[in-house]
Amino acid sequence: MGWGLPWIVQTLACGLVLLLLARRPTHWDLWQVLYAGVWTTGVLAIARIAGAEQRIFYSTDQATQVELLDRLREQGLSLGFSALQDGRYAVVIPAWVLATFGLEPLLAFKLIQAVTMTMLYRLCRDWLDARGVAPRLWHAFLYAGPLFVFISLLGLRDLVLAYAATYWFVGRSPMLKLLWLGAAITLRPHLVAALLVGWVVAAIW
């Protein structure tokens, strides 16, 4: 899908979801409110500039993931080792669910990135807060800065990997650590291997 009314409406709806996620029990999170606006504007701008070619905007990996989603639709879920390694199920399956409800596949991948970005922001913010560091808006530039914001405008897998790696080091739940590690294995297994080696070396050192 390129630039057009359906894409605009769906993007605005996704932006509204991000805005709702910015609501805390007593206030609105300023960074998340700003992020919802920047993400919505950025996704619309890319669609307006690139049109139907936005699948290969900046990275052809976006087109690859849409093709993997199409393959999942046609062939179903495969549990073979090769499929688990190459199918990118950690992002393709959630995107397939969203697409089943009518969301454009590429936009589904972008929304997954955006929600993961929000989760990464909250994870790091809560980690600082738990250590007595009062979170400030500028802190977000250290763990959810411009580069990550730009990446979240694309239908890639990078932020899911970033969240999985971050949760492994600062997360509290051992079960969730393993689940996110498993998700990362379906995206880039060699990076998970490097992460574990580095973690073991750091523990021994």
Side-chain angles (χ1 to χ4, degrees):
M1 181 188 295
W3 176 259
L5 184 59
W7 180 272
I8 295 173
V9 172
Q10 290 192 9
T11 302
L12 292 176
C14 291
L16 179 60
V17 170
L18 296 177
L19 185 61
L20 293 175
L21 292 177
R23 180 62 182 170
R24 295 296 183 100
T26 59
H27 65 283
W28 291 88
D29 187 291
L30 179 57
W31 183 90
Q32 288 185 243
V33 170
L34 294 174
Y35 174 67
V38 170
W39 184 87
T40 303
T41 303
V43 170
L44 288 173
I46 291 174
R48 183 68 181 89
I49 294 170
E53 298 299 315
Q54 63 174 316
R55 288 187 178 187
I56 57 174
F57 177 83
Y58 183 77
S59 171
T60 57
D61 215 27
Q62 298 181 93
T64 299
Q65 294 196 161
V66 173
E67 291 172 2
L68 289 173
L69 191 152
D70 291 337
R71 188 173 72 184
L72 177 62
R73 281 172 165 171
E74 296 171 359
Q75 303 178 8
L77 190 66
S78 175
L79 298 179
F81 178 77
S82 178
L84 291 175
Q85 184 178 6
D86 301 329
R88 303 184 188 180
Y89 286 157
V91 291
V92 171
I93 291 178
W96 171 75
V97 173
L98 292 172
T100 300
F101 285 97
L103 193 62
E104 205 281 333
L106 181 58
L107 188 57
F109 284 113
K110 291 173 182 275
L111 180 59
I112 291 168
Q113 286 266 91
V115 172
T116 307
M117 176 75 164
T118 298
M119 293 169 58
L120 179 63
Y121 163 78
R122 287 192 175 184
L123 176 65
C124 295
R125 180 185 173 90
D126 292 345
W127 183 81
L128 289 174
D129 191 44
R131 278 150 184 77
V133 179
R136 297 288 185 267
L137 183 62
W138 67 267
H139 288 157
F141 286 90
L142 302 177
Y143 48 79
L147 178 59
F148 276 14
V149 171
F150 173 71
I151 291 175
S152 73
L153 303 178
L154 309 173
L156 302 174
R157 53 185 162 165
D158 304 75
L159 289 178
V160 175
L161 286 165
Y163 185 87
T166 304
Y167 196 90
W168 177 259
F169 287 104
V170 307
R172 296 180 180 181
S173 169
M175 180 62 68
L176 287 179
K177 286 186 177 185
L178 292 176
L179 286 175
W180 279 105
L181 196 68
I185 288 175
T186 72
L187 300 177
R188 285 192 184 274
H190 61 286
L191 290 184
V192 174
L195 172 69
L196 292 177
V197 169
W199 176 69
V200 170
V201 170
I204 295 175
W205 195 268

